Amino acid sequence: MFKILNITKDNLIAIKIDGKIVKSDYEKITPLIEKTVEDYGKMRLYLLIDNIEGIEPAAFTEDVKTYIKYFNSFEKIAVVGENAWQRMWSELASPFVSGTVKYFKFPEMERARHWIGG
């Protein structure tokens, strides 16, 4: 499930990921992404990964489509997580976006917010 965090403003979209990721999560954030890109040209993305219990295939498809559609629209992505596979996911996402992707551990959350500009 995606939850939009209150630090979302201007061209910064901040999302907490917790639980199972479903297609309707993308239906919630895609309009926000579209509006941000329309207004600012580039977006910064802050992803706080609490716990991912899985991703349904339709959600994975939406994830890939989002990265492809907005490939040139990412300025920076800060990924905050707690384990090695989350770090690996952020490294795997790097070739699919034009901006810089950087991984931070939970104790570095404030450093991640500073880096992303939130």
Side-chain angles (χ1 to χ4, degrees):
M1 174 177 78
F2 292 166
K3 178 183 177 192
I4 298 169
L5 300 175
N6 65 359
I7 62 168
T8 297
K9 65 177 182 181
D10 301 326
N11 74 334
L12 172 62
I13 299 172
I15 300 167
K16 180 179 180 181
I17 304 170
D18 188 21
K20 186 168 182 151
I21 301 169
V22 296
K23 185 177 180 182
S24 63
D25 289 322
Y26 289 91
E27 293 166 357
K28 179 175 27 175
I29 65 162
T30 299
L32 178 59
I33 291 171
E34 289 171 350
K35 177 81 169 124
T36 301
V37 171
E38 180 182 312
D39 290 350
Y40 297 96
K42 295 275 186 181
M43 73 178 119
R44 294 170 292 136
L45 192 59
Y46 176 88
L47 300 174
L48 176 60
I49 303 173
D50 194 6
N51 179 37
I52 297 179
E53 296 172 0
I55 181 168
E56 68 180 24
F60 181 76
T61 300
E62 289 302 312
D63 191 59
V64 172
K65 286 185 346 188
T66 300
Y67 280 119
I68 291 170
K69 183 175 182 179
Y70 296 102
F71 176 85
N72 289 316
S73 301
F74 292 99
E75 182 180 337
K76 290 181 172 182
I77 300 175
V79 179
V80 179
E82 63 181 347
N83 60 43
W85 80 265
Q86 292 168 346
R87 179 184 197 108
M88 183 185 72
W89 174 87
S90 65
E91 292 169 357
L92 290 173
S94 194
F96 298 100
V97 296
S98 59
T100 305
V101 179
K102 192 165 182 179
Y103 179 83
F104 300 86
K105 292 184 178 182
F106 274 118
E108 303 172 303
M109 192 179 305
E110 285 304 313
R111 197 171 126 231
R113 285 179 68 168
H114 184 275
W115 180 80
I116 200 72

